[in-house]
Amino acid sequence: MEKTTRENFLQLLLQLLKFSLLSNVKNKTICFDIDGTLYDPENDRIIDPLVEFYNKCIERGIRVIIVTARLDVYDNRFQTIKMLDKLGLKPASAYYFMGINYKNDVFRYKIDMRYHETKLGNNIVLSIGDNLCDFGQFGGLGILMREQHTINNVRDDKNILFRMY
């Protein structure tokens, strides 16, 4: 994985957004995971460059969806959306929570939700997450990122590790 500063990572994402805006693809959509991507549940805080990028996508008229492995239980869905709003995230165009019928098959679930978006006529141009299931089939360009990481047993909070797929 590549290592970069948080600010450089944001600039990279903004360049990708600018590039996607130049394409002729209709109904551009960007797919985000929540935990470990937009939000750090271990420290109960947002992941700044991703939240800033997320909000800029919406401001620029890009369709933004959230596909999370959090369970699709009414109270969980309600509390999660309320938490994201409280943390400063603008409302997404769609939220997908994992139903119990997936029996913890997160890969299948996330592929199915991205496929569902394509069936609706939306084109996912970029998917961002902290696990391999967060991108891939029907997900456009994938970015795997890690905010929480250690290098040589030393915690590194200033940088983000990432790889594009």
Side-chain angles (χ1 to χ4, degrees), residues 83-119:
M83 175 200 74
L84 294 173
D85 178 57
K86 185 178 174 186
L87 293 171
L89 280 86
K90 297 175 188 273
S93 296
Y95 298 89
Y96 295 98
F97 289 77
M98 192 165 80
I100 58 170
N101 56 322
Y102 281 96
K103 296 184 179 27
N104 294 322
D105 187 350
V106 179
F107 273 92
R108 172 65 19 220
Y109 155 70
K110 291 205 175 191
I111 289 170
D112 285 355
M113 295 308 102
R114 293 190 302 262
Y115 177 66
H116 174 72
E117 279 289 316
T118 65
K119 294 301 274 182

Side-chain angles (χ1 to χ4, degrees), residues 12-70:
L12 169 73
L13 294 173
L14 292 173
Q15 285 295 99
L16 290 172
L17 177 62
K18 183 177 178 183
F19 181 71
S20 78
L21 290 173
L22 297 175
S23 75
N24 290 328
V25 174
K26 300 237 187 280
N27 302 326
K28 294 176 190 81
T29 301
I30 298 181
C31 180
F32 290 86
D33 178 41
I34 296 177
D35 296 312
T37 305
L38 293 168
Y39 174 69
D40 172 6
E42 187 178 311
N43 297 300
D44 189 30
R45 64 178 176 80
I46 62 169
I47 299 175
D48 311 67
L50 273 295
V51 169
E52 188 170 340
F53 176 67
Y54 170 98
N55 284 332
K56 284 190 184 294
C57 289
I58 293 172
E59 289 166 10
R60 294 182 183 170
I62 299 285
R63 178 179 167 78
V64 168
I65 64 169
I66 291 180
V67 180
T68 179
R70 291 180 178 204

